[in-house]
Amino acid sequence: MASDSETPGRVSLSAIDPQTGKDTEVLISHRRMHTVARRSLGHAKECGLLVPYTLQQPTAIFEGLRKDEDEDRRIPGWYCYCAKPACSFDENGEEQPPYPNEVFLVFVNRDKVAYNWRWARADKNDDRLPENYEERFERRAL
Amino acid sequence: MTVMSNEEFAKRMMLLAKPASEFKPTAYYDSDGDCIEFLAKPDPFYEERIDDLVTVYYSQKTGEVIGSLIKGVSKLAKRLAERLPGFMITIEDRRIRLEHLFLAGMWLQTSEPQAIHVLAYKKLAEIAERTSVEVSAELCGAA
């Protein structure tokens, strides 16, 4: 599998379409997969298990990253998928309970490429949503 | 493009995975997000956005700063060229030392930053310097 480490290709995963709520596909680059997998077994499992979960079972999908410097991200098509996974992973890849008062976010660009994901603090009033979501995103798509 | 089931994807990631003991601090430019992600430790982390430019990564285990995401890198490179042209002399062999980007990020602030955010920038610059992490200036549009 190491042979495709430099391949500028992408894999496709099933995801919920923010516009229709039906199935669509989201891409992840081989380069990103390799970069994350080299960090630790835990990071590899976050990518391998929590990213597909979040894309397929989001608690919310937000559109437009309001505060980012790059204005291109404010136009329609940039999405943040949010979920409450049932587990987390330590650096050795051991399954652990999910982090309390946190959500898992996956960021998808307008080419439908998931380019970043991470845990973030949850909103104080609704722990299924990210903190400051009203200020952070242009609108809630789903 | 390869279409993968969840099981195939998870299996692929596990085949690619390395143990945390082999971790090396890295920064890499991601053209899909036009961002530079820096990680100094293999710990799981959570994010905190400190401004439009930087999101800080904190260790879930210890709460310490262990990395960051620098966003809108192409635009940052343009702003640096326009407003801090001297920054270009920090590029050596088409590589930028990451601590220079954090310092430049602080210098480009248009309003007085909160003290806690200054601390985060300083901590990131310190970790980047200690770990000697660089990124390709060419890839992120600064050369």
Side-chain angles (χ1 to χ4, degrees), chain A:
Chain A
M1 292 302 170
S3 61
D4 61 358
S5 63
E6 302 306 323
T7 307
R10 289 168 175 157
V11 300
S12 174
L13 293 173
S14 174
I16 294 290
D17 186 321
Q19 302 296 337
T20 65
K22 294 180 180 172
D23 284 346
T24 187
E25 286 175 5
V26 162
L27 310 173
I28 296 181
S29 73
H30 286 151
R31 185 164 179 255
R32 175 76 181 162
M33 289 165 61
H34 281 262
T35 300
V36 168
R38 280 190 204 114
R39 293 174 174 171
S40 73
L41 284 158
H43 283 280
K45 284 191 176 177
E46 275 191 358
C47 175
L49 297 167
L50 301 192
V51 169
Y53 175 85
T54 303
L55 292 172
Q56 293 156 23
Q57 298 188 57
T59 51
I61 305 175
F62 298 95
E63 184 169 13
L65 310 180
R66 274 174 99 166
K67 284 190 163 185
D68 275 288
E69 180 62 30
D70 186 349
E71 289 180 4
D72 291 347
R73 297 179 196 203
R74 298 179 196 180
I75 66 174
W78 287 81
Y79 292 104
C80 174
Y81 286 66
C82 175
K84 288 285 284 182
C87 66
S88 65
F89 299 99
D90 68 16
E91 69 270 31
N92 298 315
E94 297 294 327
E95 190 173 314
Q96 304 290 336
Y99 301 110
N101 306 315
E102 291 189 24
V103 290
F104 193 76
L105 305 179
V106 178
F107 294 84
V108 177
N109 72 14
R110 65 182 165 205
D111 296 323
K112 298 174 83 171
V113 179
Y115 63 90
N116 198 270
W117 43 86
R118 61 239 188 197
W119 290 93
R121 285 198 192 101
D123 185 73
K124 285 186 176 65
N125 298 316
D126 187 343
D127 72 356
R128 298 170 309 150
L129 303 176
E131 187 178 50
N132 299 327
Y133 66 92
E134 287 170 323
E135 297 156 26
R136 187 167 178 177
F137 305 106
E138 287 287 338
R139 72 182 190 93
R140 184 171 175 174
L142 196 72

Side-chain angles (χ1 to χ4, degrees), chain B residues 113-128:
Chain B
Q114 292 180 36
I116 194 161
H117 294 169
V118 173
L119 277 178
Y121 266 108
K122 283 183 175 173
K123 185 68 184 173
L124 284 168
E126 178 195 316
I127 299 169

Side-chain angles (χ1 to χ4, degrees), chain B residues 51-99:
Chain B
D51 58 28
D52 289 350
L53 183 66
V54 170
T55 293
V56 179
Y57 293 166
Y58 292 93
S59 167
Q60 298 272 17
K61 285 167 64 181
T62 64
E64 65 180 325
V65 174
I66 59 165
S68 69
L69 189 73
I70 301 175
K71 300 160 281 184
V73 172
S74 309
K75 194 161 279 187
L76 172 66
K78 280 184 197 159
R79 284 172 66 201
L80 286 170
E82 289 165 11
R83 293 172 53 187
L84 296 172
F87 178 80
M88 295 307 161
I89 66 168
T90 67
I91 298 174
E92 291 178 18
D93 295 330
R94 298 175 181 270
R95 310 284 296 172
I96 306 176
R97 289 181 65 93
L98 204 61
E99 68 263 31

